[in-house]
Amino acid sequence: MKKLVALALATAVSATAFAQDYPNKPVTFVVPFAAGGPTDLVARQLAEAMRKPLGGANIVVENTAGAGGTIAATRVARAPKDGYTLLVWHIGMASTDSLYKKKQFNALEDFEYLGMINDVPMTLLGSNKLNANTYRDFEAHIRANGGKLNLAHAGLGSASHLCGLMWQYAVKLDKSMTTIAYRGTGPAMNDLIGGQVDVMCDQTTNTTAQIEGGRVKAFAVTTAQPLSTHPVLKHYPTLQEMGLKDFNLSIWHGLYAPKGTPPDVLKKLNDALKVALKDPEFVKRQADLGALVVTDSRVTPEGHKKFVADQIAKLKTVIDAAGQYAD
Ligand code: ASP
């Protein structure tokens, strides 16, 4: 018994000492998609903004792409519970719960919720080769040619997949487009610019510069409200304005640690995240790309978890209605 108490005490003391010392080596942000895409961009900008509040820690970004983000999420769920391996993931944390019947991890049970990062609108895009210049032309063109056109996305569980699914469902196409999965919309964007694929729905963090540069055509934004204060994105109608009643899709990102990470470490991370979310440079870089940094109760672990639980329920309805599953 004495031995057990001594052991428990020693463990408690070393956990506290450990937390005081944290971080004393590089922290890894695992990104579930290819480098050069929207989630990668959020993670890299956040890493810069969290470095200082984490005492100058070195934060490295690791891209573990595949299976719509579930490979990376599984990796983090099973990583050492020490605060050195964290997950930056988006709406996929909620959508994959319904999309994947065989689950490698449980979204609500296997992670510590550290707080949310941002909300990002999406844009419906076509390659410059596409014979359409307005949303109306675009919809008519896809209706007439759906079966012959390709839709690029970042895997089953990605935001681009979900958006393509929701849009095709909402316009009730006779013939769906052929979908092509990439390891992220970074590489998919290159093929859209090159005209190897025809259509993509992707986050403004990845599309704004390409739209502005005239390298792709944009037709609409996916949010309920128009992006009227953004110099580039204000020119595009919402899908609701174009007649798709209730269409409202905004992509959010959050930060996660493996379940069982010591509370003191979690607190340090949440505190650092909160500082980063108020960093004017981070907020501006995000706003320039159409993203809104989170300022509401979702910056707290409880608020974040509640939001994801609600999203899981909401997206289940959407995915079950579309009747499409990954396995
Ligand atoms: N977030 C993904 C990426 O970074 C794209 C997606 O989910 O559609 O590539």
Side-chain angles (χ1 to χ4, degrees):
M1 187 62 183
K2 259 191 194 159
K3 257 193 193 161
L4 267 184
V5 173
L7 188 70
L9 265 179
T11 315
V13 169
S14 70
T16 312
F18 169 81
Q20 271 166 9
D21 203 22
Y22 174 86
N24 63 10
K25 60 177 186 181
V27 174
T28 299
F29 281 179
V30 180
V31 166
F33 298 100
T39 304
D40 182 67
L41 178 134
V42 170
R44 284 176 201 274
Q45 292 190 355
L46 183 70
E48 276 178 45
M50 279 180 70
R51 179 161 301 143
K52 219 166 149 197
L54 269 185
N58 187 7
I59 304 177
V60 294
V61 172
E62 169 196 305
N63 300 89
T64 298
T70 57
I71 293 175
T74 307
R75 149 143 168 66
V76 175
R78 295 180 185 160
K81 308 160 195 318
D82 56 10
Y84 289 100
T85 311
L86 307 175
L87 176 68
V88 176
W89 202 12
H90 64 6
I91 195 167
M93 182 61 117
S95 65
T96 54
D97 195 72
S98 305
L99 264 178
Y100 287 76
K101 292 192 173 135
K102 284 194 215 108
K103 295 186 205 338
Q104 307 288 332
F105 62 88
N106 182 313
L108 294 173
E109 301 296 326
D110 294 350
F111 298 95
E112 302 289 354
Y113 282 62
L114 290 167
M116 280 182 43
I117 307 164
N118 63 4
D119 290 298
V120 197
M122 300 189 87
T123 41
L124 199 53
L125 306 176
S127 97
N128 278 344
K129 289 185 186 163
L130 209 70
N131 191 12
N133 288 317
T134 64
Y135 177 79
R136 297 265 177 247
D137 295 349
F138 172 75
E139 194 182 308
H141 184 72
I142 307 283
R143 261 185 212 298
N145 300 287
K148 290 181 233 144
L149 298 171
N150 294 323
L151 171 92
H153 64 73
L156 301 180
S158 64
S160 41
H161 170 250
L162 185 69
C163 181
L165 193 71
M166 284 171 68
W167 182 75
Q168 295 193 84
Y169 183 73
V171 295
K172 300 188 177 59
L173 290 186
D174 288 342
K175 282 212 175 115
S176 318
M177 289 179 270
T178 305
T179 56
I180 303 187
Y182 289 79
R183 294 173 75 75
T185 51
M189 179 61 86
N190 292 338
D191 278 7
L192 188 72
I193 293 170
Q196 288 91 339
V197 288
D198 307 298
V199 176
M200 179 160 77
C201 182
D202 194 19
Q203 296 165 70
T204 57
T205 35
N206 198 37
T207 66
T208 304
Q210 309 301 353
I211 297 169
E212 193 177 14
R215 289 179 284 276
V216 292
K217 291 182 180 180
F219 301 110
V221 298
T222 61
T223 42
Q225 299 302 324
L227 305 175
S228 28
T229 57
H230 191 280
V232 177
L233 303 167
K234 69 178 179 191
H235 299 297
Y236 303 97
T238 66
L239 286 171
Q240 286 195 18
E241 286 169 328
M242 292 293 98
L244 303 187
K245 203 174 150 283
D246 299 332
F247 200 108
N248 181 12
L249 183 59
S250 179
I251 304 308
W252 41 270
H253 287 83
L255 187 64
Y256 307 84
K259 186 83 184 176
T261 303
D264 293 6
V265 171
L266 296 177
K267 181 163 181 339
K268 278 196 177 178
L269 284 166
N270 179 252
D271 287 348
L273 173 67
K274 283 182 180 148
V275 173
L277 298 182
K278 290 204 173 122
D279 177 336
E281 176 70 16
F282 179 64
V283 173
K284 182 176 183 310
R285 289 172 92 188
Q286 290 283 299
D288 286 349
L289 298 174
L292 254 188
V293 169
V294 169
T295 52
D296 54 33
S297 62
R298 296 173 301 164
V299 297
T300 64
E302 309 73 46
H304 178 192
K305 191 165 184 179
K306 182 178 177 317
F307 179 80
V308 175
D310 291 349
Q311 286 274 303
I312 288 176
K314 193 174 150 208
L315 290 170
K316 182 169 173 25
T317 318
V318 174
I319 290 162
D320 286 349
Q324 291 214 10
Y325 301 95
D327 50 9

